[in-house]
Amino acid sequence: MTQRRIDWPDLLFGLFLILVAAGTFAATRKLSHGTAADMGPGYMPRAIALGLLGFGLFFAGRGLVRAHAGIARVHLRPILGIAASVAAFSALVETAGLALASFAAIVIAALASRESRIVEVLLFGIGVSAGAVLLFVKALALPVPIWPW
């Protein structure tokens, strides 16, 4: 007879998502939610929290049902690469502009993987930077500087 083991990463991730959803519901309880046609300030946070709750229940349930061999070794390179990318973007977006900040974030994030190729990263960075400028500055008219000058 085999002993069933709990898939701890899935269970803990599911519980984390459930906790975030519960916190969001608690934080937005006094906000009016409105309707889909006339959204109030609490509509989108609650809609996203409902999606998080669904995913949390799915992962927690899967963690209880599915056996797991163990938790994989933690690799620092991806964690540090993504954290550095987010930090660089937040530090550069107001001073260097959206185009350069998003390009720098893509290039730094590519360092998180050993499989990144420089030409692909540069082309992807240019494409994402152009898309970010078109979406946030041109289409949505957000007051974000595009360039440092």
Side-chain angles (χ1 to χ4, degrees), residues 56-116:
L57 292 172
F58 169 77
F59 280 107
R62 188 171 80 169
L64 291 173
V65 174
R66 188 173 80 168
H68 190 308
I71 297 177
R73 182 177 162 259
V74 175
H75 298 281
L76 286 179
R77 183 178 180 150
I79 294 170
L80 295 175
I82 299 302
S85 172
V86 171
F89 180 83
S90 65
L92 292 173
V93 71
E94 290 184 12
T95 56
L98 180 63
L100 294 177
S102 58
F103 183 77
I106 295 295
V107 171
I108 293 170
L111 299 174
S113 173
R114 296 182 194 274
E115 299 172 5
S116 298

